[in-house]
Amino acid sequence: MAIPRKLSRDFGLICGDMPTGAKNTICDVEGVSVGHLTKIEGDLRTGFTAILPHQGNLFREKLIAGTEVINGFGKSAGLMQIDELGTLESPILLTNTFGVGTGINALCRRAIAENPDIGWSTGTVNPLVMECNDGYLSDIQAMALSEEDAFAALDAASSDFKQGSFGAGTGMSAFGFKGGIGSASRAFELDGKTYMLGTLVLSNFGKPGDLVLPDGRKPSPKDLSQTEERGSVIIVIATDVPLDSRQLKRIARRGGAGLARLGAYYGNGSGDIAVAFSTAQKIAHDQEGDFIARDCLVEGRIDILFKAAAETTQEAVLNSMIASPAMRGRGRQKRPSLADWL
Amino acid sequence: MAIPRKLSRDFGLICGDMPTGAKNTICDVEGVSVGHLTKIEGDLRTGFTAILPHQGNLFREKLIAGTEVINGFGKSAGLMQIDELGTLESPILLTNTFGVGTGINALCRRAIAENPDIGWSTGTVNPLVMECNDGYLSDIQAMALSEEDAFAALDAASSDFKQGSFGAGTGMSAFGFKGGIGSASRAFELDGKTYMLGTLVLSNFGKPGDLVLPDGRKPSPKDLSQTEERGSVIIVIATDVPLDSRQLKRIARRGGAGLARLGAYYGNGSGDIAVAFSTAQKIAHDQEGDFIARDCLVEGRIDILFKAAAETTQEAVLNSMIASPAMRGRGRQKRPSLADWL
Amino acid sequence: MAIPRKLSRDFGLICGDMPTGAKNTICDVEGVSVGHLTKIEGDLRTGFTAILPHQGNLFREKLIAGTEVINGFGKSAGLMQIDELGTLESPILLTNTFGVGTGINALCRRAIAENPDIGWSTGTVNPLVMECNDGYLSDIQAMALSEEDAFAALDAASSDFKQGSFGAGTGMSAFGFKGGIGSASRAFELDGKTYMLGTLVLSNFGKPGDLVLPDGRKPSPKDLSQTEERGSVIIVIATDVPLDSRQLKRIARRGGAGLARLGAYYGNGSGDIAVAFSTAQKIAHDQEGDFIARDCLVEGRIDILFKAAAETTQEAVLNSMIASPAMRGRGRQKRPSLADWL
Amino acid sequence: MAIPRKLSRDFGLICGDMPTGAKNTICDVEGVSVGHLTKIEGDLRTGFTAILPHQGNLFREKLIAGTEVINGFGKSAGLMQIDELGTLESPILLTNTFGVGTGINALCRRAIAENPDIGWSTGTVNPLVMECNDGYLSDIQAMALSEEDAFAALDAASSDFKQGSFGAGTGMSAFGFKGGIGSASRAFELDGKTYMLGTLVLSNFGKPGDLVLPDGRKPSPKDLSQTEERGSVIIVIATDVPLDSRQLKRIARRGGAGLARLGAYYGNGSGDIAVAFSTAQKIAHDQEGDFIARDCLVEGRIDILFKAAAETTQEAVLNSMIASPAMRGRGRQKRPSLADWL
């Protein structure tokens, strides 16, 4: 793992035509950091991935956010309050399906530690925990992740993180290949200034044989015995453009366009969820006055962000697969690497 | 009609405890005006009611808005785009169910006349036309309203309008009594300044026998032969508080609380629709830069608007009924007046 | 606790005019049972309440269900998948806000024990855990509930359960009085047969001074220092009428009408959530053929269920308050009993 | 126009791998018919396209239906009631944006003629009229379509209809090429019987330069001066599989996957709307009993319909473009034909 894994652009696979940010990850959006806790032991291939939308106290300084349920066969927690209030007030944890409860507990406990008024003299915190089922390669029934594992992922967050089979991505599968964590970003100008949109995905979706590359090739694993589209995909989109929650919901929806370009049709058994947030303005938990001044993108200029959301989602999924070497897991089951096919 | 009809407060019926605006109508929100075209001829008891959210060109200067479908058994047109873009760009027309097409045509034609670029060098306009079925008292099958009738309602708009059986309210029924157009407003302070929320309803809902007054009395018409909750109610809420579209949607939803306090349960056959808009800021159709500065209410201060929305909806419905004298219509069918019961 | 507490009807408070079922609780719907785990120790006033929608394996035999987010300031988990798939596949746990993670873990662990294929050869389970914040009377920050506590509530489920300050209701407040668990039911005829709709609420909402009784009285606690509508309310509606998920969602929405009749306007800080399910048909997890025959209520007959949902929600909230004696909790804070006011 | 235009398969362009129905149009679903009224006069390039979901009285015998707003910048009317009640009760009219009001009037008038109780002794009818803006090639401001034009389209409906620049498709554009009406179908087996899913689109979307063919080629018109994604697309999906409205909504959503595979990202200015209906069962307006027996697809078998919806939407758009010859319209503006590029 010392040598960085190749990504989709190293194989000449380009999604769309917009320029990337410097890192070509979600961390091109300033202030965003990502950390993993990877658990590979016995039959376990699982973990937590933490995304910190900014480096301060998120409960005290919330970010404007929006969500989109592309297909709701999933167990993610925390979306409802974001829909109602339009704000995100906790770090984001990604994990396996049966790790959601523990992820919630970890985020609650940490928020209480940082905000001694929570639940008493002020409201409670809304933890955002999203998941995919890594049960093909990992012993998901063991419910092996602990709150300490979640804290470790949160504490490991940095602006330089690994893609592929790390953290929540450790045991995931996509289109019959190994899936995991992937990311990508796009840069664009508004009012003469450069802005960023970056996306991170946890990929665990797609029926083997359905994958289409940007160059039209259709990679297929040798073993096509898995016939249903199973699993899920979580899409987290960050941008430094000032937007309201309705606009962020619209942007989140375009993550689905990126998935479809890869050959997906949002299968019945797939929990395909997108969340988008803007780092442009922090919304104080304790406001002094009754009004707050906010900048907002003019609606007619939003297409560039729609395009960036579709392109980065498509590329992030490819990166999640290409960065993941082949893996053998629970019961000797195996997933080949897309990189080896390429 | 020379003597103003009594309203609910004249009978000691008070909804909630917030103070009203000076007029106690939607026109307490500065810039809002309302006009009627009333058609009472032969078997017709129908019309148009126009609400101008501001007095300028709404296509060029849009208002932020939100909608809530309390029960969607209805044929209102124009809600979808408000949901997507969060803005209102046309006057609002209320009419009978089979007048919607003509109302749309009238609003399109007027918008084209005022904006010669519509549909060619810029986008098309989104007309907002909402309706109830006045077929109990009026020959709705005649489809008797014309575009000229709609223009007459638009041209009649003023800040001083009649409540009861006028305009779209002419032939409506509520809880077995005569229904129609009603309005109410509430005043409240934010950051030391007085703000207004005003509501106008077109009432045509409620099962006879279900009505509950604020003092607990249950007025019931003598003829209880109508056994289903039929009809609909349209709720238009205006405020001068700066809000985003998500907040306005939340406020619109509280219109339903006002209906429930009257004894309604949003019957299956009822199209119960609420639209809320803010006059605080005009959103230019042609923006020069890529960003726009907007003031927004701090979320934690929104309860006073929720309360005002519930109180004004409840009172506006009572006013719509009390201001309407008994009426005989198509086929000699009759609706008594709640005022006579009181 | 040996003497049964009085309920709203014992004080002559009648919500609506429909007849109740034999028990006047959610357990009038055959197969539904309810259990509590109550934790009153030191500063803790909390617990779990479990609702078993039927007495079999819910993952293998799902029920058709629908949800309604009346106001989404809440942390309930499991609603999204019910919206997407229209089925409920786990018992329902109610608890305090910071007990959600542990509730999820408990439901996952029990589902795995009962269904060894979960997460491996079949999909994962969708636990439904809903919550209110009992932090006024209880040390919610202690996160004191365990998975064993949840199992105890599940194991205690019977068709005869206590209302008031038990289980999840132990530390809740409503309109400045003591809140908690309440229930009510209504009976009605369809095609000549008697059907039931029963509702259970966890009440923790309402601004002191806003409560309105069915007879028009407005009970108010002496201490009106709590000025915001805080807290939440969870509404669980069961019926034996065959319905599809869209119809159940419509019924769940009418829970909001019941709340509004009590004087609520769905305050900003309140997580007001309703879930409705039908026990009429079990949907097998493992279907043999490609089609399933289902009975469905004719849409035009649904008003009787709308009315029952509104009436039972209103009465269940009153019962939750009247059945709860005054309580002193964390930091010597106190909630009076509505029964004492009456 | 005597010689049938070539379609995408004639150029070797295959979307997906499922087999088509016999006609490869929406009319492979038995009972569905389509008719055009085409108006090419002076600066007009417009019309109506009518889709009859079955050949009887739709108000008396409704079909189960679902809708999906992929992007809501549009003026379609009739979606709200389908969402609430889950049924379609009128023929579907497609037209230009400013033809919606007239389309509504035509559908109301015809429904009244066929059902003399409408609006009086029974409810009103919910007309479904959907639109795109053909203002680039046609004088949309003229509002030139009449109710008679709508009746002509309805009366022309047959199971054999023309694709390309006919009816509502006459003046439409897509990806800088000529757009219009296109269709496709897929056949599949359930419980040993062959079922059909057929799609018809009205294409008027896509930014020039963004189109991607199934073989990876990217056709681009020479004139790339149109820089925004403008216009809209309407997707109508029919199937003979028995489904409930929630399932049909899920299927409608997959139309968006088909659009994305063509290079679209649901641009801000695009009204992208999908409606899906099932012909498997007619829901009588006047039900005798309180219950109705319905067959329903087992949820876990729905992927084949998702896949068919994505494939047919993609192919129908290609057909709408390829079947349309180059056209010159209002102001000598011109759209080239994709067929000529191929």
Side-chain angles (χ1 to χ4, degrees), chain A residues 69-71 210 229 250 253-254 256-257 260-261 263-268 299-300 302-303 306-307 310, chain D residues 69-71 210 229 250 253-254 256-257 260-261 263-268 299-300 302-303 306-307 310:
Chain A
V69 176
I70 301 166
N71 190 55
D210 278 353
E229 165 143 4
R250 297 184 81 197
R253 200 178 304 158
R254 273 63 189 182
R261 291 176 186 178
Y265 48 81
Y266 327 136
N268 170 61
E299 203 74 22
I302 204 169
D303 271 352
F306 287 176
K307 189 170 156 68
Chain D
V69 177
I70 300 166
N71 191 56
D210 278 354
E229 165 143 3
R250 298 184 80 196
R253 199 178 304 157
R254 271 64 189 182
R261 290 178 186 177
Y265 48 82
Y266 328 136
N268 171 61
E299 204 76 23
I302 204 170
D303 271 352
F306 286 177
K307 188 169 156 68

Side-chain angles (χ1 to χ4, degrees), chain C residues 32-213:
Chain C
V32 178
S33 64
V34 176
H36 297 300
L37 178 283
T38 304
K39 182 156 289 190
I40 302 183
E41 303 168 9
D43 273 354
L44 298 176
R45 303 285 182 281
T46 194
F48 278 109
T49 294
I51 303 166
L52 306 193
H54 71 59
Q55 300 303 307
N57 180 330
L58 273 150
F59 184 74
R60 292 251 102 78
E61 296 186 303
K62 307 177 202 294
L63 295 184
I64 299 176
T67 78
E68 171 73 5
V69 177
I70 300 166
N71 190 55
F73 196 137
K75 287 78 182 174
S76 293
L79 301 170
M80 178 178 71
Q81 185 166 316
I82 296 176
D83 280 346
E84 184 75 39
L85 302 179
T87 45
L88 172 66
E89 62 181 19
S90 89
I92 303 170
L93 280 180
L94 310 181
T95 187
N96 77 66
T97 313
F98 290 156
V100 171
T102 299
I104 291 172
N105 282 347
L107 290 177
C108 286
R109 215 174 300 270
R110 184 151 285 197
I112 293 169
E114 291 174 357
N115 303 279
D117 52 348
I118 277 187
W120 285 352
S121 53
T122 194
T124 50
V125 68
N126 180 44
L128 179 58
V129 185
M130 299 189 283
E131 52 75 37
C132 298
N133 176 2
D134 55 14
Y136 187 82
L137 289 179
S138 185
D139 180 5
I140 190 171
Q141 294 193 351
M143 296 182 67
L145 293 171
S146 66
E147 291 184 42
E148 287 66 37
D149 292 333
F151 296 144
L154 290 161
D155 292 339
S158 89
S159 63
D160 188 20
F161 65 94
K162 287 176 179 159
Q163 299 184 51
S165 295
F166 297 96
T170 305
M172 301 296 170
S173 308
F175 294 103
F177 292 98
K178 185 69 191 64
I181 295 287
S183 197
S185 72
R186 294 293 182 269
F188 46 93
E189 287 213 354
L190 291 167
D191 269 357
K193 204 190 127 194
T194 299
Y195 286 89
M196 288 284 166
L197 181 145
T199 296
L200 180 147
V201 304
L202 174 64
S203 75
N204 193 48
F205 72 110
K207 189 178 156 186
D210 278 354
L211 178 63
V212 182
L213 298 182

Side-chain angles (χ1 to χ4, degrees), chain D residues 8 34 41 44 69 86 90 97 143 164-165 170 172 190 193 209 221 224 237 297 303 316 324 332-335:
Chain D
S8 58
V34 177
E41 303 168 10
L44 298 175
V69 177
S90 89
T97 313
M143 295 181 67
S165 296
T170 305
M172 301 295 169
L190 291 167
K193 204 190 130 194
L224 285 172
I237 300 173
L297 183 70
D303 271 352
S324 289
R332 307 285 304 147
Q333 300 196 95
K334 195 186 162 184
R335 292 295 188 199

Side-chain angles (χ1 to χ4, degrees), chain A residues 5 40 45 134 136-137 164-181 202-205 221 317-329 334-339:
Chain A
R5 300 278 310 176
I40 303 184
R45 304 284 182 281
D134 56 13
Y136 187 82
L137 290 178
S165 296
F166 297 96
T170 305
M172 301 295 171
S173 307
F175 293 103
F177 292 99
K178 185 69 192 66
I181 296 285
L202 174 64
S203 75
N204 192 48
F205 71 110
V317 171
L318 289 176
N319 283 341
S320 76
M321 298 172 71
I322 294 172
S324 290
M327 183 179 282
R328 210 176 267 284
K334 195 185 160 185
R335 291 294 188 199
S337 170
L338 177 57

